[in-house]
């Protein structure tokens, strides 16, 4: 039995190693070659930081990066506000009329192909004669990411003890004040995690942004895609490495915020 257990353990370790290599080896290679001194991405020419310098001197890339960050921050903020309100409505209003329809429409972007979402938003903006640019991309990304925020916040609201709000109202608070004073501090880490998730999804979106953007308002993923179509430059490796580092930092912070929210929810859950 022990020998079989050891063989199974080695098999599990090997499977895990192969899976991690399949997922992360291309990213590791990309990061290493971002420090390649050679202009040829397939030929190693020594260590260098010149491609990072090239990126910070590339006006078009910097404009696209600025556009992406402004869209990501704005859409994540709007998605967090709307998604939190939607989560509260679904968690605290179980019996309101049309709840099933509202829930289905809210979570539709989770399963809807991005091509369909992007095309439908494009047709909407054309129908209302909206000039495509910063705000159309922001609205599209808000539509995409709001459902993710709602899922995160609703899961935390479901773990809280509603008697805490009822106790606050028994002490003289109205429902709004009870929510702001009691519930909001408990779900704040999940709200922060939802914002970071929305920010990350907006930052790396390509499909929906390509449908809803206009001339002179290309996001960084669109700019990178247009450059890669003509051949991969070492500067692209440097840009992608910076994006990977940023998203990794956001994911780590979001994980800590989600863990804190879960611990607070468990401590506030009914015994």
């Amino acid at each position: 039995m022990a020998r079989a257990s050891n063989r199974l353990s080695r098999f599990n370790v090997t499977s895990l190693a192969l899976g991690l290599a399949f997922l992360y080896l291309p990213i590791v290679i990309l990061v290493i070659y971002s420090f390649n001194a050679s202009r040829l991405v397939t030929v190693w020419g020594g260590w260098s930081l010149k491609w990072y310098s090239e990126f910070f001197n590339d006006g078009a890339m910097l404009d696209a990066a600025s556009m992406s960050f402004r869209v990501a921050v704005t859409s994540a903020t709007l998605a967090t506000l709307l998604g939190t309100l939607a989560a509260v409505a679904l968690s605290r209003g179980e019996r309101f009329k049309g709840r099933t329809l509202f829930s289905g429409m809210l979570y539709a972007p989770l399963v809807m192909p991005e091509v369909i979402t992007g095309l439908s938003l494009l047709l909407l903006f054309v129908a209302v004669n909206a000039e495509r640019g910063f705000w159309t991309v922001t609205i599209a990304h808000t539509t995409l990411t709001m459902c993710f925020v709602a899922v995160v916040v609703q899961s935390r609201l479901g773990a809280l003890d509603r008697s805490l709000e009822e106790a606050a109202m028994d002490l003289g608070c109205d429902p709004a004040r009870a929510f702001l004073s009691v519930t909001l501090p408990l779900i704040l880490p999940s709200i922060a995690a939802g914002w970071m998730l929305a920010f990350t999804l907006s930052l790396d979106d390509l499909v929906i942004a390509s449908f809803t953007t206009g001339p002179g308002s290309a996001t960084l993923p669109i700019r990178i895609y247009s450059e890669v179509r003509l051949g991969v430059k070492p500067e692209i490796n440097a840009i992608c490495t910076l994006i990977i580092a940023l998203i990794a930092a956001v994911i780590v912070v979001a994980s800590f915020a989600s863990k804190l929210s879960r611990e607070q929810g468990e401590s506030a859950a009914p015994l």
Side-chain angles (χ1 to χ4, degrees), residues 163-174:
S163 63
L164 297 174
E165 292 183 17
E166 295 172 357
M169 288 186 284
D170 289 339
L171 294 174
C173 291
D174 56 54

Side-chain angles (χ1 to χ4, degrees), residues 37-61:
S38 173
R39 183 172 292 275
L40 301 176
V41 295
T42 57
V43 177
W44 181 255
W47 297 94
S48 175
L49 294 173
K50 69 177 183 179
W51 303 116
Y52 290 89
S53 177
E54 288 283 340
F55 166 65
F56 288 108
N57 291 322
D58 190 337
M61 280 292 184

Side-chain angles (χ1 to χ4, degrees), residues 68-91:
S68 288
F69 279 105
R70 288 187 289 116
V71 168
V73 170
T74 306
S75 64
T77 303
L78 293 174
T80 301
L81 177 61
L82 297 174
T84 301
L85 293 175
V88 171
L90 291 173
S91 298

Side-chain angles (χ1 to χ4, degrees), residues 121-122 125-126 129-137 210-215 217:
L121 288 170
L122 171 62
F125 296 141
V126 171
N129 197 26
E131 182 179 356
R132 282 177 288 163
F134 171 81
W135 284 110
T136 55
V137 179
S210 64
F211 278 99
T212 56
T213 192
S217 57

Side-chain angles (χ1 to χ4, degrees), residues 1 6 16 18 26 36 74 77 91-92 99 107 112 116 135 151 171 180 187 208 246:
M1 293 294 293
N6 290 336
L16 178 62
L18 291 175
N36 185 13
T74 306
T77 303
S91 298
R92 296 295 186 260
R99 182 182 187 277
Y107 296 138
M112 188 76 68
I116 303 300
W135 284 110
V151 169
L171 294 174
L180 294 176
I187 66 172
I208 293 179
L246 176 63

